[in-house]
Amino acid sequence: MKYSFTLPALTAALAVTNVFAAPQKLNKRACASPVTLTGNPFTSYKMHANNFYRSEVEAAAAAISDPTKSAAALRVADIPTFRWIDKRAVIPTLPDLVQDIPCDEIVGLVVYDLPGRDCAAKASNGELPVGSLDVYKTEFIDPIKSFLQANANTAFALVIEPDSLPNLVTNIDLQTCQDSASGYREGVAYALRELNLPNVVMYMDAGHGGWLGWNDNLQPGAEELASVYRAAGSPSQFRGISTNVAGWNAWSKTPGEFENSEDGEWNKCHDEKRYVQIFGDALATAGMPNQAIVDTGRNAVQGLRQEWGHWCNVNGAGFGVHPTSSTGDSRVDAFVWIKPGGESDGTSDSSAVRFDEFCGYADAYQPSPEAGDWHQAYFEMLLANAIPAI
Ligand code: BGC
């Protein structure tokens, strides 16, 4: 995934507030009963540490010769992350992901396969071309729906299509985003309508404070998201937005990382806390639910990016605050790890078809493999720079 955006530079911040969540209170229900989610699901369910990321991390730990570092690496496998359904071929693997899942845990999934995906960048261009909305509906969303229905006794949190609608707000000058626009809107609305199941909660991606947080983007951004939410029939299981997905902004930091930069005065959302508040208010005005989950997976270290919009394998990053529903902010359901730390953001090989120039910038770790592929050196760096230490 990749976002790029047009407005000037600035930013967000650090704040390693409430760290390790105490395990949440669990519903002592039998797994034999169907789940009905209401309210903030993260207060009654623990986030699930899935076996896909576990296998990636176990292999990574085995490749580290220093026993202390290897043991620390292994501990990352117990930290819950989201599993990205980034192509149709992932869907048949999902039953294995939820096998023997404890009844008191909620599984995080990212729905990420829109036609013409990643319209403002190249690193995460997907498998479906513009115009294949029917394929998206019948071969991607419908099978995901069947899977969720077949697992009605398990709770799921879905992040819907990172970057897609934000790109329509700020990158619509690009031909690729113009071509993708109607498919994005109809595809996201279809996903929200069809996946609106009792055992599911949904969050629509809203970029981050350095993207839709610019004064001029707040209202258009809120209206873009809200109109798709309405087109989906205002689904009951929809809670609001995901922010900072695969991002680098601090939750709370004053001044924000780019607050005192040249253009800083044109954006009040200098950390994700302020973004959730200010953009959330705009969403309420536009008539959309505005609870949030915030990705803190890789935001431990600030001051690494040359510009706020740099997004690719930022060099020097560290694992951030662990998933928790103790956010200290009533609008934030949970801090979560949506981007699985150690999976690349994009290749630095300039001869690759999906090479994006952001992955060749001086602040991007190089060399780096294709988006989604395992990046051992980057994983070890995230571990070494983690706050809190792992
Ligand atoms: C990639 C996906 C991958 C996801 C999580 C995205 O940038 O395009 O293929 O699943 O990151 O690592």
Side-chain angles (χ1 to χ4, degrees):
M1 73 171 274
K2 273 359 12 336
Y3 36 77
S4 57
F5 37 92
T6 42
L7 279 171
L10 250 288
T11 250
L14 141 71
V16 184
T17 43
N18 60 58
V19 197
F20 291 92
Q24 301 304 317
K25 286 290 110 341
L26 315 180
N27 282 347
K28 288 291 177 218
R29 62 181 170 72
C31 267
S33 332
V35 169
T36 298
L37 297 176
T38 54
N40 178 2
F42 297 102
T43 57
S44 44
Y45 290 84
K46 285 192 299 187
M47 277 170 266
H48 179 62
N50 71 64
N51 57 20
F52 180 82
Y53 189 58
R54 180 175 300 281
S55 63
E56 289 183 319
V57 168
E58 283 175 356
I64 299 174
S65 51
D66 180 305
T68 310
K69 287 182 186 160
S70 181
L74 215 43
R75 288 195 284 275
V76 178
D78 293 326
I79 301 175
T81 56
F82 279 59
R83 172 74 169 119
W84 290 55
I85 316 172
D86 63 344
K87 50 181 159 321
R88 286 165 290 176
V90 173
I91 300 170
T93 71
L94 294 177
D96 179 55
L97 199 82
V98 300
Q99 225 180 14
D100 301 327
I101 186 171
C103 301
D104 56 4
E105 298 194 356
I106 183 165
V107 177
L109 298 174
V110 178
V111 175
Y112 189 53
D113 202 20
L114 278 172
R117 196 178 71 193
D118 207 19
C119 68
K122 292 181 179 157
S124 287
N125 291 167
E127 63 172 350
L128 300 181
V130 166
S132 50
L133 191 60
D134 282 349
V135 176
Y136 179 76
K137 290 179 177 177
T138 60
E139 296 181 19
F140 187 67
I141 297 300
D142 293 355
I144 293 174
K145 178 180 185 176
S146 301
F147 162 76
L148 296 169
Q149 287 175 315
N151 290 278
N153 300 345
T154 299
F156 293 91
L158 307 185
V159 166
I160 307 294
E161 297 292 355
D163 299 354
S164 57
L165 300 181
N167 267 326
L168 302 188
V169 179
T170 61
N171 290 313
I172 200 66
D173 53 317
L174 299 174
Q175 187 64 45
T176 43
C177 289
Q178 287 170 26
D179 294 344
S180 294
S182 66
Y184 279 14
R185 292 185 179 117
E186 195 179 333
V188 172
Y190 186 82
L192 292 175
R193 191 181 322 118
E194 294 301 314
L195 305 180
N196 186 41
L197 302 165
N199 56 322
V200 169
V201 289
M202 299 181 287
Y203 298 87
M204 193 194 285
D205 191 56
H208 61 88
W211 193 344
L212 299 185
W214 295 92
N215 296 347
D216 288 349
N217 294 343
L218 289 168
Q219 192 191 346
E223 285 172 1
E224 178 71 52
L225 269 59
S227 80
V228 172
Y229 161 74
R230 275 193 301 277
S234 306
S236 61
Q237 302 305 92
F238 179 81
R239 285 198 57 78
I241 55 173
S242 56
T243 86
N244 209 36
V245 172
W248 315 96
N249 293 342
W251 160 244
S252 174
K253 180 177 174 18
T254 306
E257 188 177 356
F258 294 95
E259 190 156 358
N260 295 325
S261 70
E262 202 182 333
D263 301 307
E265 61 183 306
W266 307 110
N267 185 324
K268 299 185 185 69
C269 305
H270 288 281
D271 54 28
E272 292 303 282
K273 186 175 172 60
R274 282 176 276 180
Y275 181 52
V276 164
Q277 195 60 47
I278 294 168
F279 188 62
D281 288 349
L283 287 172
T285 303
M288 196 184 103
N290 60 2
Q291 290 300 118
I293 53 176
V294 178
D295 190 349
T296 57
R298 306 188 299 180
N299 72 349
V301 184
Q302 303 296 309
L304 303 171
R305 287 168 293 178
Q306 293 173 330
E307 291 185 25
W308 206 355
H310 288 196
W311 51 261
C312 194
N313 298 318
V314 170
N315 196 9
F319 285 121
V321 170
H322 297 200
T324 176
S325 64
S326 302
T327 65
D329 187 318
S330 60
R331 210 171 256 181
V332 181
D333 285 353
F335 297 138
V336 284
W337 285 19
I338 298 176
K339 174 77 183 184
E343 294 182 9
S344 178
D345 295 320
T347 179
S348 59
D349 174 359
S350 59
S351 67
V353 173
R354 297 204 302 173
F355 172 71
D356 190 285
E357 61 184 351
F358 281 78
C359 302
Y361 287 168
D363 54 8
Y365 190 103
Q366 296 169 55
S368 290
E370 288 279 358
D373 286 357
W374 190 255
H375 193 333
Q376 180 73 16
Y378 200 84
F379 171 79
E380 291 181 28
M381 183 192 72
L382 288 171
L383 185 62
N385 296 335
I387 305 173
I390 293 172

